[in-house]
Amino acid sequence: MKLLVVGGGGREHTIIKKLKENPNVEEIFACPGNGGMAEDATLVPIGAKEIEKIVAFAKENAIDYAVVAPDDPLVLGCVDALNEIGIPCFGPKANAAIIEGSKVFSKDLMKKYQIPTAEYAVFEDCAKALEYLETAPIPTVIKADGLALGKGVIIAETREDAKAAVRSMMEDQIFGASGSRVVIEEFLTGPEVSVLSFTDGETVIPMISSMDHKRALDNDQGLNTGGMGTVAPNPYYTEAIAAECMERIFLPTIRAMKAEGRTFKGCLYFGLMLTPNGPKVIEYNCRFGDPETQVVLPLLESDLLTIMMATTNGTLAETEVKFADRHACCVVMASEGYPGKYTTGHKMTIPAEIKNDVFVAGAKLDGEDLLTAGGRVLGVTATADSLEEAIAASYKKVETIHFENAFYRHDIGQKALKAGKEN
Ligand code: AMP
Ligand code: GLY
């Protein structure tokens, strides 16, 4: 089979490595991929949002199955466009990807179907939003309606900060048109858990749970990033909580999307907060998380391509989805300065014996050399029988990778380790 993976980060590299385990896979093309995955996929210089070009390429190269991984092309209808020319895909159509593409849509869906989430109000008029903030409980959370590269959420500790956030989104449009509508929501507290799931629109099978580390610096200091590391499973996510989430969140969401005529197929990501009043949805993503994928897929024992095709064909209920009873840790190595300004173009050295456990996010080839080309450069994963061993093994590998300006957190997994010992 010839496969096409749309996207170019560490998540896509992880998916590609896993897909390659299936003996029927002859070739994998990546649009656009990155230089760090050139040994695993054929790189195609077409951007993930260039839908027409992707479709033309897929047709010319007789692609058998496509995996659309990032949010933008999903929301823009990449799956719909490929389906139109008869190419089956992993991922939701645009009318279902809206569950991530519009925060207003997802909040209204949860309200209508009584899925637990933070209380909220929606505003299209800046003056009305500012008036509401005069009496709203503080801290409060301000979210731009549309996609904003994961930056569209501001947690305001004071009334003045909240108003400034609303003005920056609605008047100054710092997130562009994404901020023309805002959601103002209740500030929730509790441990956060990421649960990715496979679904064919009827059956939903949660993957092993995970914990992201979003802040740039140790001890959750510094700016929010795309994610500096992950561990799986998440020790806060007990079997009892998992059962509650299935009954009150996962199944109701899948049924709600179907009832709305927006059947969701692919990976639905539940960003949960375990509040004192039970688990609540913080956000939905219409795709695999990054860098959650880098710990979840290495623990998957079943064949990824078979599962993906079952979500497309509606046969997930009969398909085996098995995870190892082990632990994984992924440490992200970034360019010093990320998520602010940083320099790139530095030569990287990755020892051959750990290449299988390195998922490259931002790199380009320069002849034989691999050069850094992004803020998040790569993720290094280790799996082990205990979390402690997985953490130690991933940091040991990190120490063998070199590039100028390399920077990473030293405490990935420590919070989970502590929580695991308390539970
Ligand atoms: P997002 O970009 O939607 O992933 O949100 C970024 C982060 O903001 C989340 O991971 C949470 O830590 C935090 N957050 C979002 N919504 C809330 C909320 N209602 N209460 C508390 N924290 C929140
Ligand atoms: N790691 C969070 C996300 O993929 O949105």
Side-chain angles (χ1 to χ4, degrees):
M1 285 181 78
K2 280 205 223 172
L3 308 184
L4 171 66
V5 173
V6 176
R11 162 185 57 202
E12 286 76 8
H13 197 188
T14 317
I15 291 171
I16 287 168
K17 278 185 191 279
K18 202 75 194 170
L19 287 171
K20 275 180 64 180
E21 291 177 9
N22 183 307
N24 294 323
V25 173
E26 297 156 50
E27 186 165 15
I28 304 181
F29 296 93
C31 287
N34 76 65
M37 51 176 96
E39 287 174 19
D40 297 304
T42 307
L43 307 183
V44 182
I46 296 176
K49 289 196 275 184
E50 298 182 285
I51 312 268
E52 278 177 28
K53 289 187 186 168
I54 292 171
V55 170
F57 176 86
K59 198 171 173 183
E60 270 164 37
N61 291 276
I63 295 298
D64 296 299
Y65 190 71
V67 177
V68 183
D71 45 2
D72 283 314
L74 289 166
V75 171
L76 290 170
C78 190
V79 168
D80 310 58
L82 286 165
N83 284 172
E84 258 169 48
I85 59 159
I87 297 177
C89 292
F90 179 79
K93 293 189 175 182
N95 77 345
I98 192 174
I99 199 165
E100 174 171 2
S102 167
K103 293 232 160 40
V104 174
F105 171 85
S106 69
K107 294 299 290 189
D108 289 349
L109 184 87
M110 289 186 269
K111 187 175 183 185
K112 182 169 171 188
Y113 292 91
Q114 297 172 336
I115 297 165
T117 187
E119 294 294 331
Y120 72 106
V122 177
F123 296 94
E124 289 181 20
D125 179 305
C126 187
K128 291 217 170 95
L130 294 174
E131 188 189 322
Y132 173 83
L133 285 174
E134 291 291 346
T135 54
I138 297 293
T140 189
V141 183
I142 324 278
K143 300 186 173 181
D145 177 39
L147 294 180
L149 291 171
K151 294 183 193 143
V153 176
I154 295 177
I155 296 176
E157 306 279 351
T158 68
R159 221 167 279 290
E160 281 320 303
D161 285 354
K163 288 184 189 168
V166 162
R167 284 198 196 97
S168 68
M169 286 185 198
M170 301 192 85
E171 283 175 358
D172 308 337
Q173 303 245 314
I174 56 165
F175 302 122
S178 279
S180 50
R181 282 202 294 185
V182 299
V183 174
I184 301 183
E185 74 175 33
E186 176 196 7
F187 176 73
L188 299 176
T189 55
E192 285 186 58
V193 183
S194 306
V195 180
L196 284 56
S197 69
F198 290 111
T199 176
D200 60 5
E202 297 276 346
T203 299
V204 55
I205 303 185
M207 301 180 217
I208 195 163
S209 63
S210 57
M211 182 191 283
D212 196 2
H213 297 68
K214 286 208 163 108
R215 300 292 198 96
L217 308 175
D218 287 4
N219 300 315
D220 292 332
Q221 302 295 306
L223 294 172
N224 254 321
T225 70
M228 294 300 293
T230 36
V231 293
N234 184 320
Y236 291 105
Y237 191 71
T238 60
E239 268 179 41
I241 291 173
E244 187 180 355
C245 289
M246 181 54 106
E247 193 188 326
R248 297 185 60 208
I249 296 174
F250 305 159
L251 281 170
T253 302
I254 297 302
R255 290 184 188 137
M257 289 298 279
K258 191 178 172 201
E260 293 292 310
R262 297 174 182 274
T263 300
F264 189 105
K265 293 175 175 229
C267 172
L268 183 55
Y269 167 135
F270 299 89
L272 306 172
M273 195 171 268
L274 308 181
T275 78
N277 299 316
K280 296 194 180 185
V281 177
I282 289 281
E283 61 162 349
Y284 292 114
N285 291 325
C286 64
R287 51 171 175 86
F288 280 98
D290 190 339
E292 285 89 343
T293 306
Q294 287 87 317
V295 285
V296 169
L297 290 188
L299 293 170
L300 178 65
E301 288 181 337
S302 313
D303 179 57
L304 179 62
L305 181 60
T306 306
I307 299 169
M308 285 183 158
M309 290 175 69
T311 69
T312 312
N313 300 335
T315 53
L316 192 60
E318 300 105 71
T319 305
E320 185 198 64
V321 181
K322 194 166 172 282
F323 285 87
D325 189 13
R326 283 162 65 81
H327 296 258
C329 174
C330 173
V331 178
V332 169
M333 297 180 77
S335 303
E336 176 95 55
Y338 171 76
K341 280 201 183 122
Y342 52 83
T343 59
T344 59
H346 305 296
K347 190 176 162 185
M348 299 154 59
T349 53
I350 306 172
E353 61 273 18
I354 63 162
K355 273 206 173 145
N356 252 344
D357 314 309
V358 176
F359 306 113
V360 184
K364 64 174 184 212
L365 276 172
D366 179 23
E368 297 277 287
D369 292 340
L370 194 57
L371 307 181
T372 63
R376 286 192 295 178
V377 175
L378 53 84
V380 185
T381 296
T383 61
D385 288 333
S386 72
L387 177 59
E388 211 155 8
E389 290 167 287
I391 295 170
S394 57
Y395 276 104
K396 209 169 156 201
K397 291 180 205 171
V398 163
E399 280 158 22
T400 66
I401 296 176
H402 300 287
F403 57 90
E404 203 181 309
N405 277 6
F407 144 82
Y408 55 89
R409 273 180 66 160
H410 297 83
D411 65 339
I412 301 302
Q414 291 305 322
K415 207 202 280 180
L417 205 55
K418 200 158 160 252
K421 285 183 180 146
E422 283 163 9
N423 275 351

